[in-house]
C-alpha cells in the first residue's frame, strides 16, 4: 500500500547510490582539496550488497515507487553493475530503471547495461570545450571520450539524456554549444542550476545562472516554447524547439524550488535513507538489513516517510546554505 508524508507527498522515485567513489574530481562536486589522497572512502563491507539493494528497492516499490535511478559517486565504478540492473529491472515490468553517469566507462558498459534491461541513461556533461571540460572534471578527462560513450549508449538502444550543471563564470559559455550539438539528435539536454549541496563546494548564490537566463540565451538563437509537465513531480521544466529539433529542460532548483512536488527518496551507498538532497542526517537501513529484525524494513521506511516534512529549497537562505549537509557524491545526485 502507498504512503504519503506530512505534506501529502507520495514516494515515487528512489535514487540509489552504489558507491561514494568517483573517477572525476569535478571542482563543484568533489574538489581535490577535500577528496584527495587522504580522503577515506567507504570500505567495501560498508556498501550495501546488490542483494541488499534489491531488498530495499522491492519494499519501496511496494510503497509506491515507480522509478529507480542508480547513481553515486560514479556508478560504473561498481563492478558487475549490470547484475544489479538485471535484478532491479525484474522487480516489475512497469518499473522505470535508469542510471546517471559521467560516461567515462560507458563505451564498454553500454551494451551489457542495455542487455541487462536498462532502457534509459543520463550522462553528465558540462562543456564541449575540451579545455573547460578537463578543468571542470579536474582529472584531465577529454570530452571526446564522453561523446563516444553517448554514441555507444545510443547504438546499444538506450535513450540518452544529457545533464549540464551551469556555474557562473565556469561554463555558462558552453550552454549554447551544447544546445547546438544535441539539437536534432533525439538526446534531450537538461540544464541544471548549480545547487548548495554538501559543504565542500563553497557555494554562493552569485554562482547560480538562473534557469530563465538559460532559456532566454538558447531561445534567442533557437526559438522555444514551453511544454506541459509530463507528470506530477517532474523536476525539469520542458521547452520545445519551434523548428521541431526536439526539446530541452531546465531544472530551477534554486530559483524556483519544487519541494511541494518532491516525491524522491535517496539511499546512500552505505544504506542510509535520506528524504531530502539537503539533509543533514539519514536513517540507517543497513543495520536493519543485517539484523534479525529485517522484517521490519517496510514498517521502518513507511514510518520515516510518514514523518517527512523536508522542504529545504523553499526555506533556503544564506544561513541554511552553510549548514553541514551530506555531500552529493555520497548521497547520490
Ligand atoms: N558520477 C555520476 C555523474 O557524473 O553523473 C553520478 C553522480 S553525480 C553527483 C550526479 C549529478 O550531480 C551530476 O550531473 C553532477 O553534475 C550533479 N551535481 C553535482 N554537484 C552539483 C551541484 N552542486 N549542483 C547541481 N548539480 C550537481
Amino acid at each position: 500500500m502507498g504512503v504519503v508524508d506530512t505534506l501529502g507527498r507520495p514516494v515515487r522515485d528512489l535514487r540509489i547510490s552504489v558507491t561514494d567513489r568517483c573517477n572525476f574530481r569535478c571542482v563543484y562536486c568533489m574538489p581535490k582539496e577535500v577528496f584527495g589522497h587522504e580522503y577515506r572512502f567507504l570500505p567495501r563491507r560498508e556498501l550495501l550488497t546488490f542483494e541488499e539493494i534489491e531488498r530495499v528497492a522491492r519494499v519501496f516499490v511496494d510503497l509506491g515507487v515507480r522509478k529507480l535511478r542508480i547513481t553515486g559517486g560514479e556508478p560504473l565504478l561498481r563492478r558487475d553493475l549490470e547484475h544489479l540492473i538485471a535484478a532491479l529491472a525484474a522487480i516489475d515490468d512497469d518499473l522505470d530503471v535508469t542510471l546517471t553517469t559521467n560516461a567515462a566507462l560507458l563505451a564498454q558498459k553500454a551494451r551489457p547495461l542495455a542487455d541487462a534491461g536498462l532502457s534509459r541513461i543520463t550522462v553528465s556533461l558540462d562543456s564541449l570545450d575540451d579545455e573547460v571540460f578537463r578543468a571542470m572534471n579536474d582529472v584531465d578527462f577529454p570530452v571526446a571520450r564522453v561523446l563516444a560513450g553517448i554514441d555507444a549508449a545510443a547504438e546499444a538502444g538506450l535513450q540518452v539524456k544529457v545533464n549540464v550543471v551551469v556555474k557562473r563564470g565556469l561554463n555558462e559559455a558552453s550552454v549554447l554549444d551544447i544546445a547546438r550539438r544535441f539539437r536534432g539528435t533525439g538526446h534531450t539536454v537538461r540544464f541544471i542550476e548549480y545547487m548548495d549541496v554538501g559543504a565542500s563546494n563553497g557555494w554562493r548564490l552569485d554562482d547560480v545562472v538562473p534557469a530563465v537566463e538559460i532559456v532566454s540565451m538558447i531561445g534567442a538563437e533557437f526559438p522555444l516554447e514551453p511544454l506541459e509537465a509530463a507528470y506530477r513531480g517532474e523536476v525539469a521544466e520542458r521547452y520545445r524547439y519551434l523548428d521541431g529539433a526536439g526539446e530541452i529542460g531546465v531544472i530551477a532548483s534554486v530559483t524556483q524550488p519544487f519541494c511541494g512536488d518532491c516525491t524522491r527518496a535517496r539511499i546512500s551507498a552505505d544504506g542510509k535513507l535520506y528524504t531530502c538532497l539537503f539533509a543533514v542526517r539519514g536513517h540507517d537501513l543497513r543495520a536493519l538489513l543485517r539484523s534479525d529484525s529485517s522484517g521490519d524494513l517496510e514498517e521502518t521506511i513507511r514510518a520515516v516517510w510518514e514523518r517527512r516534512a523536508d522542504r529545504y529549497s523553499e526555506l533556503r537562505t544564506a544561513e541554511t546554505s552553510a549548514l553541514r549537509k551530506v555531500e552529493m557524491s555520497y548521497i547520490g545526485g
Side-chain angles (χ1 to χ4, degrees), residues 9 257-263 308 310-315:
R9 299 168 296 187
F258 37 77
C259 304
D261 266 342
C262 178
T263 54
R308 177 184 190 244
D310 310 88
R311 49 191 200 95
Y312 175 88
S313 292
E314 289 177 352
L315 306 173

Side-chain angles (χ1 to χ4, degrees), residues 18-19 47-50 53 74-81:
V18 292
T19 177
L47 302 183
L48 290 193
T49 64
F50 288 171
I53 291 174
E74 172 45 43
L76 298 189
L77 289 179
R78 183 87 185 243
R79 208 187 310 148
D80 299 327
L81 188 72

Side-chain angles (χ1 to χ4, degrees), residues 166-169 193-194 201-210:
V166 188
K167 187 173 175 203
R168 180 82 72 200
E193 289 179 352
Y194 172 54
N201 63 10
W203 183 89
R204 294 174 321 136
L205 189 56
D206 291 351
D207 294 332
V208 179
V209 180

Side-chain angles (χ1 to χ4, degrees), residues 272-285:
K272 295 213 172 58
L273 166 60
Y274 290 88
T275 54
C276 178
L277 177 57
F278 301 96
V280 178
R281 230 167 287 107
H283 192 98
D284 188 4
L285 297 183

Side-chain angles (χ1 to χ4, degrees), residues 33 61 110 149 159 164 167 178 185 191 201 209 233 278 283 285:
E33 311 83 73
V61 169
Q159 189 196 318
V164 185
K167 187 173 175 203
I178 293 180
T185 61
F191 298 93
N201 63 10
V209 180
F278 301 96
H283 192 98
L285 297 183

Side-chain angles (χ1 to χ4, degrees), residues 129-151:
D129 178 319
D130 203 45
E131 207 176 312
V132 173
F133 185 65
R134 286 176 193 254
M136 283 183 84
N137 64 55
D138 211 13
V139 292
D140 211 24
F141 197 87
V143 170
R145 285 180 56 195
V146 175
L147 296 175
I150 292 176
D151 289 346

